[in-house]
Structures are given as structure tokens and as C-alpha cells.
Amino acid sequence: MIDAEDIRRIALSFPETVEKEAWNMPTFRVAGKMYVTIPDDQTSFAVRCPKHERSELIAAEPQKFWVPPHEASSAWVRVRLIALEDLVELRDILVDSWRQAAPDRLTDEHPDLRPGAVTGE
């Protein structure tokens, strides 16, 4: 089963990612911008997601994606670990969030770092 250590390993493999504890949970940041958090219970994780895409994503896969009421106004979505198909899907979700937070110079330097790219994962 996919767990928090898989999230940590993949997130830290992305350029200029650092782990920082905030709100008593691990968060991962690129160029100072947070792009993933792992809440205390470690059954889900949160990633950046534009609000205009979030509703469609949740409607398509409500067993996988959700938003807690206190995060409804944010541009984040939660992902249930148990609902993920495999590490490739986890990587795609994380890299999508990384690309939203990373500065243009990093995304330009790493055009191969995108959802759907073949990796050694």
C-alpha cells in the first residue's frame, strides 16, 4: 500500500524541494511555496489544485479526491492514499502540484518533469 514515506521519497526527488514541518505535519516546498502536505492521520495528502478544476476532479473520482470544509476556499484538494492505483499515479499528482508551485525557471529547466512522463519509480 502507498504510504507517507512514498510521498516523501517522490516529493524530495523533485528539484529544489525541501521538507518543512508546519502545523505539526510534514509539508514539501519548492522555492518557498508549499505544494504538498501530509496531515496527521496520514491517510490522505493535500496538493495544489486550481479551484476551477477541483469540482470536476472531485465529481469524476469522489472516492479519491475531496476537500474538507475548512479548505473549501483554498486552491487545494485532498487525495486518499487507499484510492490511488499505484506509485505512477502518486508521482503524477505530486509533479502536477510541484509544477504549479515551482518558478518558471525550474519548470523550463525540467520539461521532462511532468505528469505522464516515464520514470524509474
Side-chain angles (χ1 to χ4, degrees), residues 15-76:
E16 297 188 27
T17 292
V18 296
E19 182 175 351
K20 181 179 179 181
E21 187 169 323
W23 309 286
N24 296 317
M25 71 177 110
T27 68
F28 298 85
R29 300 160 190 255
V30 59
K33 288 187 177 178
M34 191 166 41
Y35 71 92
V36 63
T37 67
I38 307 172
D40 289 343
D41 68 3
Q42 297 189 357
T43 61
S44 68
F45 60 100
V47 290
R48 290 175 171 263
C49 182
K51 284 186 195 178
H52 66 277
E53 295 176 14
R54 191 170 68 181
S55 296
E56 189 174 312
L57 189 64
I58 293 168
E61 296 185 87
Q63 75 288 356
K64 189 176 294 181
F65 300 103
W66 63 289
V67 176
H70 71 278
E71 294 174 3
S73 64
S74 73
W76 289 75

Side-chain angles (χ1 to χ4, degrees), residues 61-66 78-81 83-85 89 93:
E61 296 185 87
Q63 75 288 356
K64 189 176 294 181
F65 300 103
W66 63 289
R78 297 273 184 107
V79 185
R80 290 181 180 92
L81 286 171
L84 291 174
E85 293 176 28
E89 182 180 31
I93 291 168

